[in-house]
Amino acid sequence: MEKKNNEHCKVDSWKIGELIMDSGLKYAQPSTQTGRTDVNSLTNWNVPLVWEGTFDPLVIDDIYKKMDPRVAVVVFAVGKYTRFLKKFIETGEKYFLVGFRVTYYIHTDRANEVPKVELGKGRNITIVTVPSATRWQDVVLGRMKWATLTIEKTINKEADYLFMMDIDSVFHNRFGAESLSRLSAVLHRGYYKNTPRDSFPYERRPLSKAYISAGEGDYYYTAAVWGGYLEDMYKLVKYCYEMSEEDAKNKIEAVWQEESHLNRYLLYNKPTKVLSPEYLWSDYDKVPGDIKVVRISQLVKNYAEVRPNGGQ
Ligand code: UDP
């Protein structure tokens, strides 16, 4: 990937480790004694596990707005999935990094079905045309290839952070700068509580590049929302693409496509922030007590109707 010109990269020029806040900001005094006690808010490699109540939006926003980063959101709406675009973008405008510069890179085979949505200041849509597919698995895995290409061609010069997101979801509450870090991954809602690591749906066949052996593993992460610095995300998206190509050569497809490769990568290259399942819930599931805020929720959908080859 081309080296970025520092003049265009606010994050680099601010040196991201420097957490600079404005003087005179009014906010509640942080405590060393009280906080969330019902959940763990630190991983065993000592990075934050982010839940509602573990950050102050006023402080976080003030720090990150000074950096004024450009954020790319890469989404795919291939075939009938264009129907999810409107709600996703409309609610994204209400809740996703409000006040920050955001561009939605919409990859689709139906550019004419991309809705006109009123966007906030500094927010844009870029449409990228991709081919149609006959198998949903090809769209899901193909995302890694197309995202790699789009990053190399355009996003590379246009963003400091990048998020990969599923399109069949709706924002319901703040998804803010507390989610930003070098590599941020979201705990899968299905496996975050009391699931022994050997029951995680990791790829268990040694032939696949996504293989994780029994007795290994920290968490199970979802591939429906993940993000980080552009450089780190580029490396990871390309890794998922290349590993799935290797698997294809060996006539194997990882059990949960790129999610399996993502989980293997993150086991050995630890994320710098772990986001709680608040950052991706699902309308299929009841919201338990420890999820105080649902920030995004996946929609219930008729798989047979919406996918080109049906099925789950
Ligand atoms: N997708 C798409 N067209 C398809 C299948 C999938 O655009 O025919 C994209 C879309 O962005 C979707 C993502 O791939 O959100 C993941 O697929 P899906 O939602 O079907 O997977 P699930 O999360 O339901 O397993």
Side-chain angles (χ1 to χ4, degrees), residues 76-78 81 136 139-140 143 166-168 298 301 303 307-308:
F76 285 72
V78 176
Y81 280 65
W136 63 265
V139 181
V140 170
R143 291 189 292 180
D166 274 12
I167 199 65
D168 55 328
Q298 288 187 306
K301 62 182 184 282
Y303 282 93
R307 283 175 161 176

Side-chain angles (χ1 to χ4, degrees), residues 92-105:
E93 285 307 279
K94 239 171 125 183
Y95 297 117
F96 181 68
L97 286 167
V98 175
F100 289 81
R101 295 186 285 170
V102 170
T103 302
Y104 303 92
Y105 293 84

Side-chain angles (χ1 to χ4, degrees), residues 30-288:
S31 170
T32 58
Q33 308 298 300
T34 59
R36 288 287 293 258
T37 50
D38 56 335
V39 288
N40 184 2
S41 52
L42 207 57
T43 71
N44 69 355
W45 58 97
N46 227 8
V47 305
L49 216 167
V50 183
W51 306 82
E52 177 70 359
T54 62
F55 60 90
D56 185 333
L58 279 175
V59 178
I60 291 262
D61 282 350
D62 190 78
I63 292 169
Y64 282 87
K65 279 198 178 143
K66 288 184 97 62
M67 298 174 197
D68 195 22
R70 301 162 302 171
V71 181
V73 179
V74 171
V75 289
F76 285 72
V78 176
K80 293 181 181 169
Y81 280 65
T82 50
R83 68 179 61 169
F84 300 118
L85 281 166
K86 189 161 187 284
K87 259 289 179 68
F88 179 90
I89 301 166
E90 274 176 3
T91 57
E93 285 307 279
K94 239 171 125 183
Y95 297 117
F96 181 68
L97 286 167
V98 175
F100 289 81
R101 295 186 285 170
V102 170
T103 302
Y104 303 92
Y105 293 84
I106 301 173
H107 295 68
T108 184
D109 57 337
R110 301 183 181 184
N112 59 323
E113 290 182 13
V114 176
K116 297 256 173 299
V117 176
E118 201 179 316
L119 301 174
K121 188 170 160 271
R123 303 176 68 107
N124 294 293
I125 287 179
T126 296
I127 298 175
V128 183
T129 303
V130 296
S132 309
T134 49
R135 287 174 75 238
W136 63 265
Q137 294 90 337
D138 293 338
V139 181
V140 170
L141 259 181
R143 291 189 292 180
M144 300 301 106
K145 172 181 155 188
W146 292 107
T148 301
L149 294 175
T150 310
I151 296 170
E152 289 172 350
K153 228 170 114 192
T154 44
I155 302 178
N156 180 20
K157 300 187 254 340
E158 298 176 354
D160 305 302
Y161 285 94
L162 183 144
F163 277 90
M164 298 287 299
M165 291 192 181
D166 274 12
I167 199 65
D168 55 328
S169 352
V170 169
F171 292 84
H172 294 281
N173 278 292
R174 173 197 166 93
F175 187 129
E178 73 284 356
S179 66
L180 299 174
S181 82
R182 192 165 67 70
L183 210 49
S184 302
V186 179
L187 297 181
H188 193 297
R189 72 181 193 285
Y191 310 95
Y192 77 103
K193 242 197 272 208
N194 308 323
T195 303
R197 47 160 68 119
D198 287 350
S199 301
F200 290 154
Y202 292 149
E203 174 55 64
R204 301 298 187 180
R205 294 165 299 173
L207 182 60
S208 168
K209 293 287 176 198
Y211 172 67
I212 294 176
S213 67
E216 287 195 88
D218 301 314
Y219 305 116
Y220 189 78
Y221 304 102
T222 175
V225 175
W226 38 305
Y229 291 179
L230 181 70
E231 285 81 358
D232 296 83
M233 283 297 287
Y234 171 67
K235 195 171 152 196
L236 178 47
V237 169
K238 196 165 172 221
Y239 167 89
C240 292
Y241 167 43
E242 289 174 351
M243 292 305 114
S244 59
E245 289 286 289
E246 284 291 308
D247 274 4
K249 276 191 216 145
N250 294 320
K251 307 218 167 357
I252 191 165
E253 183 176 275
V255 57
W256 289 107
Q257 295 84 35
E258 86 286 9
E259 188 167 271
S260 306
H261 295 291
L262 175 73
N263 270 278
R264 181 177 159 110
Y265 184 95
L266 293 175
L267 173 56
Y268 304 114
N269 306 269
K270 306 288 194 208
T272 48
K273 251 181 203 177
V274 175
L275 306 177
S276 67
E278 295 166 5
Y279 289 82
L280 188 75
W281 197 254
S282 166
D283 290 355
Y284 279 100
D285 294 339
K286 246 182 71 203
V287 181

